[in-house]
Amino acid sequence: MLRENINDLIALAAVAEERSFTRAAARLNVSQSALSHTIKGLEQRLGLRLLTRTTRSVAPTIEGEDLLATLTPCLEKIEARLQALNDARDQPTGTVRIVATEYAIESLLWPKLSPVLKAHPLVNVEFVMDYGYTDLADSQCDAGVRYGEQVSEGMISMRIGPDERMVCVGSPDYLDRVGAPETPQDLADHSCINLRLSTHGALYAWEFEDKDGNEIRVKVKGQACFNTINPVMRAAVDGHGLALVPERLAQEHLAAGTLRTCLYDFSPSFPGFHLYYPSRQKPSFAFQVVLDALRDRG
């Protein structure tokens, strides 16, 4: 009976853990209809209802919870043993998927992971660009990158970069022609280059801080709007208005004089990029190699 049901039990555990047939099907690389058929077949053979299904979620029944209490630890032990055998190989192997912003990928992830790919030809890294707080399960990613240490419950956070500062910049031509704002509120009289966030489609509200540490949020307006940060800076260089960009990203233009800062006293530093991943995730050899390469040692 075990041989007949083992794949179905693995499917049950996946659905119970993900609380979703859609996410479990993606994780198991099967269709949602095939997964639903598998669970129904298991329930019919056992003569028990194992999952309660609603339009929004899936949860184990009392009988399902009882079965999973025995099943889950066994599957985890098997998975851990298989992973240990895999890790015993001479070289790490596998694919690591990381979701991050364009700036994080270009300024931190790629410079640190490019040598890893050269040193470990069996390790693959897939970069998924997103400016939203992506759900790792939905996106089938192993890890994500965000500013600061605040992450969702059940996640591990690890610093991978230095503190950051968002600075308001403009081209010398624009600032000489229009003048520089003296306070964040003055931005209402300026043409500004907007960034649209992918999570909910809203425009990014520019964030500043006064001398007493009070947060100031300003919604700006202008002719140009982008959904990634590099074109925002490019438009500022071209004289289309003011932009709020990471200081490290703008450093080359600031040094060359093609951009100048303003409102600098209202631009505090804040914790830089952190990598986050599920605490229940057992890092593979390949994932551990990536973690070691990304860890900030400053």
Side-chain angles (χ1 to χ4, degrees):
M1 187 173 181
L2 177 60
R3 182 178 300 175
E4 178 185 1
N5 290 317
I6 187 65
N7 289 333
D8 297 355
L9 291 172
I10 292 172
L12 172 66
V15 175
E17 185 175 335
E18 298 291 349
R19 290 293 197 271
S20 163
F21 273 90
T22 301
R23 291 197 293 269
R27 173 174 151 185
L28 297 171
N29 198 27
V30 298
S31 69
Q32 187 174 340
S33 60
L35 181 57
S36 179
H37 180 75
T38 295
I39 299 300
K40 287 180 180 178
L42 177 62
E43 291 176 325
Q44 289 172 358
R45 289 196 301 278
L46 296 179
L48 295 170
R49 185 76 176 272
L50 301 174
L51 296 172
T52 299
R53 305 161 178 82
T54 68
T55 55
R56 292 189 176 183
S57 65
V58 180
T61 61
I62 294 176
E63 293 80 5
E65 289 281 9
D66 183 60
L67 176 57
L68 288 163
T70 301
L71 173 65
T72 303
C74 293
L75 292 177
E76 288 179 348
K77 287 182 180 179
I78 294 171
E79 180 66 28
R81 184 55 185 158
L82 291 173
Q83 188 64 62
L85 291 172
N86 183 62
D87 290 351
R89 298 171 60 176
D90 292 339
Q91 293 191 20
T93 182
T95 298
V96 178
R97 301 183 82 239
I98 305 175
V99 59
T101 63
E102 176 187 30
Y103 170 52
I105 293 171
E106 292 186 355
S107 67
L108 273 179
L109 298 183
W110 181 246
K112 289 188 174 186
L113 294 181
S114 174
V116 170
L117 298 182
K118 291 179 179 179
H120 302 287
L122 297 180
V123 172
N124 303 316
V125 179
E126 183 173 346
F127 302 94
V128 180
M129 191 180 73
D130 195 340
Y131 274 76
Y133 287 153
T134 302
D135 182 272
L136 297 183
D138 284 342
S139 63
Q140 300 180 54
C141 287
D142 300 292
V145 175
R146 292 181 188 173
Y147 279 130
E149 300 174 341
Q150 297 301 315
V151 296
S152 304
E153 184 179 351
M155 293 286 175
I156 293 175
S157 174
M158 182 186 79
R159 176 185 279 272
I160 62 172
D163 285 354
E164 296 274 354
R165 185 191 303 268
M166 298 293 288
V167 293
C168 183
V169 297
S171 69
D173 173 69
Y174 176 86
L175 291 172
D176 291 344
R177 177 165 43 89
V178 181
E182 296 184 1
T183 69
Q185 290 77 10
D186 292 341
L187 291 170
D189 300 323
H190 283 264
S191 176
C192 298
I193 302 149
N194 264 305
L195 175 70
R196 188 174 295 280
L197 302 175
S198 61
T199 309
H200 42 70
L203 295 177
Y204 169 61
W206 291 15
E207 298 173 275
F208 300 94
E209 194 175 282
D210 65 21
K211 63 181 180 180
D212 297 319
N214 299 310
E215 184 182 270
I216 304 172
R217 295 171 64 89
V218 181
K219 291 187 176 181
V220 299
K221 58 186 178 182
Q223 290 180 285
C225 179
F226 302 91
N227 65 355
T228 61
I229 199 68
N230 280 338
V232 170
M233 188 175 66
R234 180 72 254 174
V237 172
D238 291 341
H240 289 280
L242 301 177
L244 192 69
V245 299
E247 186 175 24
R248 285 199 304 124
L249 179 65
Q251 198 59 55
E252 184 177 335
H253 287 288
L254 293 173
T258 51
L259 284 177
R260 296 206 308 248
T261 61
C262 47
L263 302 176
Y264 198 80
D265 291 341
F266 294 90
S267 304
S269 62
F270 54 88
F273 286 123
H274 284 64
L275 188 83
Y276 66 98
Y277 58 95
S279 57
R280 60 178 171 78
Q281 179 173 307
K282 296 178 177 60
S284 65
F285 193 1
F287 189 72
Q288 191 61 55
V289 167
V290 168
L291 286 183
D292 291 342
L294 291 178
R295 192 182 308 275
D296 182 62
R297 307 187 188 279

